[in-house]
Every structure is written in C-alpha cells, then in structure tokens.
Amino acid sequence: MNHAKSREVTLAAKITDELGAALETLRLAWKENPSTVPKGLSCSESREGQFVLVAAESAFVTLPGACVIKGIGAIELLGDEPAFDAGAKSKSLLLKATPEGWRFSVKFVPPIVRERNLK
C-alpha cells in the first residue's frame, strides 16, 4: 500500500509592514533568549544564515484569504485556492527570510484515500 508522504506548497502571500516588524522583533528576541519564543513556534537559522520560523498546527489558523499566526499577525494569501487538501494532517507553516523577501509555505501530510473492495 503506497501513500504520499508530506508535501510542501509555497504560498502566494503579501506581507504587511506590521507583520514584518513582528517577525523582526521575534527574530531579535529569539537571538537574545530562545526561551521567549511563544509555544507552537520554533525558530532556527538556515545554512545560509536566513531566519526560519515554523508554526505548528496549534499556532496558526487558515481562513479564506488569510493565515493568522497566534501572537504574530496575519498573512494575506493571494488567490482563492486552499493552501492544503481537506483532511490534511500534521500541518505546519514555514516562513523563511530570503534576500528577495519572506517566503511562505505550508507543509502537510495529505489524507490517505483507500480504495478497498472496488470491482
């Protein structure tokens, strides 16, 4: 029985100045004292030295046209397609600071569809 492993989908999103400031504040707080990062969020640095924030499923909610990270702010999603499949599990939101700006993606495990006893 084969089923798909986790998937990562890049989101078309627009960042506000307020969200940018909140992310920068979080990055600086994390650098000084990693224990100040709110529950459900984890921070790290990529090999290239870029700040990476991962929000667990408990720390964000996806609404039509937006994604809200608890304690940080909202990301406006461009387009009207859903970020992940209905019934997806183990969702996490990844935000990565790149030289071109912030890159947003969502990682999830798609639902397993079993086709049993089909004739």
Side-chain angles (χ1 to χ4, degrees), residues 5-9 83-85 88-92 106-111:
K5 303 249 188 246
S6 65
R7 295 185 197 165
E8 186 172 342
V9 178
F84 41 81
D85 301 339
K89 304 286 184 220
S90 301
K91 299 177 281 249
S92 57
V106 66
K107 191 171 187 175
F108 62 94
V109 177

Side-chain angles (χ1 to χ4, degrees), residues 28-105:
L28 293 173
W30 168 73
K31 284 275 196 186
E32 287 187 26
N33 184 0
S35 67
T36 61
V37 176
K39 193 173 188 175
L41 302 177
S42 63
C43 300
S44 63
E45 207 168 79
S46 69
R47 290 184 182 152
E48 299 82 27
Q50 299 166 335
F51 177 67
V52 178
L53 172 67
V54 178
E57 191 170 5
S58 63
F60 77 96
V61 63
T62 304
L63 306 169
C67 186
V68 180
I69 306 170
K70 294 177 186 173
I72 303 293
I75 303 163
E76 182 182 347
L77 300 177
L78 306 174
D80 54 356
E81 67 276 348
F84 41 81
D85 301 339
K89 304 286 184 220
S90 301
K91 299 177 281 249
S92 57
L93 182 67
L94 293 91
L95 292 83
K96 185 175 184 180
T98 66
E100 298 81 33
W102 287 94
R103 182 176 149 249
F104 302 92
S105 60

